[in-house]
Amino acid sequence: MLKYLFMIISMIPLCFFVNCWWLIHSLMFMVSFIFMLYMYSYADFNMISYFFGVDYFSYILILLSLWVCSLMITASSSVYIFSSHCNFFVFIVLFLLIMLYCSFSSLNLFSFYIFFEASLIPTLLLILGWGYQPERLQAGIYLIFYTLFASLPLLLVLFNLYGLYNTLYYPLLIDFGSYYFMFYVFSIFAFLVSMPMFLVHLWLPKAHVEAPVSGSMILAGVLLKLGGYGIFRVMKVISYLGLKFNYFWLTLSLSGGVIISFICFRQVDLKSLIAYSSVAHMSMVIGGLMTMNMWGCMGSFSLMIGHGLCSSGLFCLSNIIYERLGTRSLLINKGMINIMPMMSLWWFLLSSSNMAAPPSLNLIGELSLLSSIISWSSFSFFMLIFLSFFSAVYTLYMYSYSQHGINYSGIYICSLGYLREYHPLFLHWFPLNLLCLKGEYFYF
């Protein structure tokens, strides 16, 4: 694992040279493809070096991080074109990638916690440095305080755990039984806030609306997945108490997902709508993880990957419109099919993936999540009906409202889009639908 880490670290000196934007961009894609070649297909930890290693779950999340960070640089080419501190921007993206890489490949709960928290710093710098509105300062404070306050008790719990076992190495952790209820609450709560769950989700729409396209892509694509990955890792320690108390989180997340779906109908900001739809999708992921059965965990896994690619692509699309018109308001962004007909196809493809239409990876994830949550309790059927139906409704609302209707009379632009814009859209959509053919990978 260290060889890939050194490959990424060796790109950092290039940030200080002039005109190395596209070189770093190409090198990041190269690292992604090299990492793909070393795919291992069994469930144990492998590629272990020092305190890094991967298993089934973390391998594809690292690959997603590499992929999304590469696409962030492609989508943020306006930073390079207008020379708004592009070298520092690339440095922050690389630093964020290193933090994500280390957090997903850590074999130790404490090192995972350190890198998990450290990944917030470059995200905050992206929002504060390249965000659009003056409210970005408030959004950054929301992001930091929500996540730090929720995860500070987890740090105390980890110290206590280490005092008890003298190790925090994943395979050596065992179930506590009923020993420590606070460990269960604090560890789950820290990860639920970063996912985010309903009631503690307010930082996410704020951060997304104020963030630049790169910040939104990494937030939706990878940072929300850190919470799900963390729950998956600590599940082994809390399974006894989980069987007793998980119904609370499951009920809250599913009912919260339905309420969030209603909130989606009221949004007029395009980015805000996509951000709230992320919360609705994550509520199903939380539900699947909390059932603690095989189908639930694997369905959550595949929906996290599918949502990471799909949501990131939708933020990319909303940014393309924002660069043309200078606004994300749905009241002004009407009739886009007349102005950018080719882009309308990509809106359709990514919107259909967002509502789990075949052949997207989201479909595999949602089907297994439906079966696992219903097997846990048949009464959850009612919530799941509403969740699935409304996710289709607000996605269709977003697509039809932005693409059809009468153009705003203040628009005097007709641009079909550049190749540099179609390129990241294709690279979001293609793996999202190609992975559907390899569905057995997500069910070891």
Side-chain angles (χ1 to χ4, degrees):
M1 290 308 291
L2 286 173
K3 58 179 176 282
Y4 301 110
L5 187 59
F6 284 133
M7 281 169 82
I8 302 165
I9 291 171
S10 64
M11 290 184 220
I12 288 179
L14 294 174
C15 299
F16 305 109
F17 292 104
V18 185
N19 293 333
C20 277
W21 176 278
W22 297 116
L23 173 63
I24 293 170
H25 174 241
S26 309
L27 286 171
M28 282 173 75
F29 272 115
M30 190 185 81
V31 174
S32 308
F33 285 118
I34 292 172
F35 192 70
M36 275 184 216
L37 295 175
Y38 284 86
M39 189 175 98
Y40 289 92
S41 296
Y42 52 91
D44 212 354
F45 281 102
N46 47 59
M47 290 208 280
I48 292 177
S49 51
Y50 199 42
F51 57 95
F52 294 121
V54 289
D55 68 346
Y56 225 76
F57 214 79
S58 53
Y59 170 79
I60 202 153
L61 284 166
I62 292 173
L63 190 54
L64 181 72
S65 308
L66 287 163
W67 197 247
V68 171
C69 284
S70 309
L71 291 173
M72 275 164 68
I73 296 184
T74 320
S76 304
S77 48
S78 57
V79 172
Y80 175 70
I81 291 164
F82 298 116
S83 300
S84 49
H85 304 284
C86 50
N87 288 9
F88 186 50
F89 178 84
V90 173
F91 171 73
I92 286 178
V93 171
L94 281 174
F95 182 67
L96 178 56
L97 177 58
I98 290 166
M99 291 301 111
L100 290 170
Y101 182 89
C102 291
S103 56
F104 285 129
S105 59
S106 289
L107 294 177
N108 186 298
L109 253 178
F110 185 68
S111 61
F112 169 70
Y113 175 85
I114 296 293
F115 293 122
F116 168 65
E117 294 303 323
S119 62
L120 294 173
I121 299 164
T123 315
L124 177 70
L125 289 175
L126 279 177
I127 293 172
L128 295 183
W130 287 270
Y132 301 120
Q133 278 93 7
E135 290 88 24
R136 61 181 186 262
L137 186 63
Q138 188 194 7
I141 290 169
Y142 258 65
L143 166 73
I144 287 295
F145 274 79
Y146 259 91
T147 41
L148 280 185
F149 270 123
S151 54
L152 189 63
L154 176 61
L155 183 63
L156 305 176
V157 163
L158 290 180
F159 289 153
N160 204 330
L161 191 63
Y162 187 76
L164 196 68
Y165 284 148
N166 294 320
T167 182
L168 288 172
Y169 180 59
Y170 291 143
L172 296 180
L173 295 175
I174 55 167
D175 190 1
F176 271 161
S178 58
Y179 168 69
Y180 196 24
F181 177 70
M182 295 315 283
F183 177 76
Y184 170 75
V185 174
F186 288 157
S187 57
I188 287 280
F189 188 66
F191 296 126
L192 287 181
V193 170
S194 72
M195 282 197 72
M197 189 180 65
F198 178 67
L199 296 181
V200 284
H201 68 282
L202 288 175
W203 63 270
L204 185 79
K206 265 189 182 303
H208 271 308
V209 169
E210 304 306 329
V213 59
S214 52
S216 291
M217 282 168 73
I218 198 68
L219 260 175
V222 186
L223 288 174
L224 299 190
K225 315 299 173 276
L226 275 166
Y229 177 74
I231 291 174
F232 184 78
R233 286 287 177 231
V234 297
M235 193 72 78
K236 189 176 176 182
V237 188
I238 55 173
S239 52
Y240 179 84
L241 285 170
L243 291 169
K244 287 182 164 47
F245 299 109
N246 271 0
Y247 68 89
F248 174 73
W249 308 112
L250 213 147
T251 314
L252 182 61
S253 68
L254 287 183
S255 50
V258 176
I259 296 166
I260 290 288
S261 301
F262 283 115
I263 294 174
C264 283
F265 301 147
R266 301 289 299 150
Q267 298 305 312
V268 287
D269 187 313
L270 203 50
K271 254 191 167 182
S272 185
L273 202 162
I274 302 166
Y276 275 111
S277 77
S278 292
V279 182
H281 279 108
M282 284 296 118
S283 67
M284 279 195 82
V285 170
I286 294 168
L289 284 168
M290 291 301 168
T291 55
M292 295 208 303
N293 59 26
M294 187 68 172
W295 276 72
C297 289
M298 292 300 100
S300 301
F301 179 38
S302 48
L303 187 59
M304 282 199 292
I305 305 301
H307 171 264
L309 289 165
C310 176
S311 195
S312 177
L314 283 170
F315 280 116
C316 211
L317 274 169
S318 70
N319 180 65
I320 290 167
I321 290 184
Y322 182 74
E323 284 180 354
R324 300 288 189 285
L325 309 183
T327 179
R328 289 187 303 264
S329 171
L330 276 170
L331 305 172
I332 295 172
N333 291 330
K334 282 199 230 177
M336 278 294 156
I337 197 165
N338 301 318
I339 300 169
M340 306 170 78
M342 187 62 188
M343 208 52 86
S344 196
L345 168 70
W346 289 104
W347 269 105
F348 172 74
L349 290 173
L350 285 165
S351 297
S352 61
S353 297
N354 195 43
M355 57 190 187
S360 70
L361 189 57
N362 296 36
L363 177 74
I364 297 179
E366 287 205 14
L367 283 177
S368 53
L369 282 174
L370 286 171
S371 56
S372 86
I373 295 171
I374 289 170
S375 74
W376 175 80
S377 165
S378 50
F379 292 111
S380 59
F381 194 63
F382 300 107
M383 288 298 176
L384 292 168
I385 288 172
F386 288 124
L387 254 177
S388 301
F389 175 68
F390 288 137
S391 81
V393 172
Y394 61 68
T395 310
L396 284 171
Y397 156 71
M398 176 180 71
Y399 172 74
S400 57
Y401 211 91
S402 62
Q403 300 308 308
H404 299 288
I406 302 168
N407 290 354
Y408 171 58
S409 57
I411 298 172
Y412 295 109
I413 186 168
C414 187
S415 168
L416 297 176
Y418 305 110
L419 184 62
R420 66 176 170 82
E421 291 169 339
Y422 292 124
H423 176 232
L425 293 175
F426 175 74
L427 291 180
H428 278 113
W429 176 81
F430 184 66
L432 175 63
N433 288 271
L434 189 72
L435 283 169
C436 188
L437 303 174
K438 195 67 181 154
E440 70 272 15
Y441 180 84
F442 296 96
Y443 300 87
F444 34 76

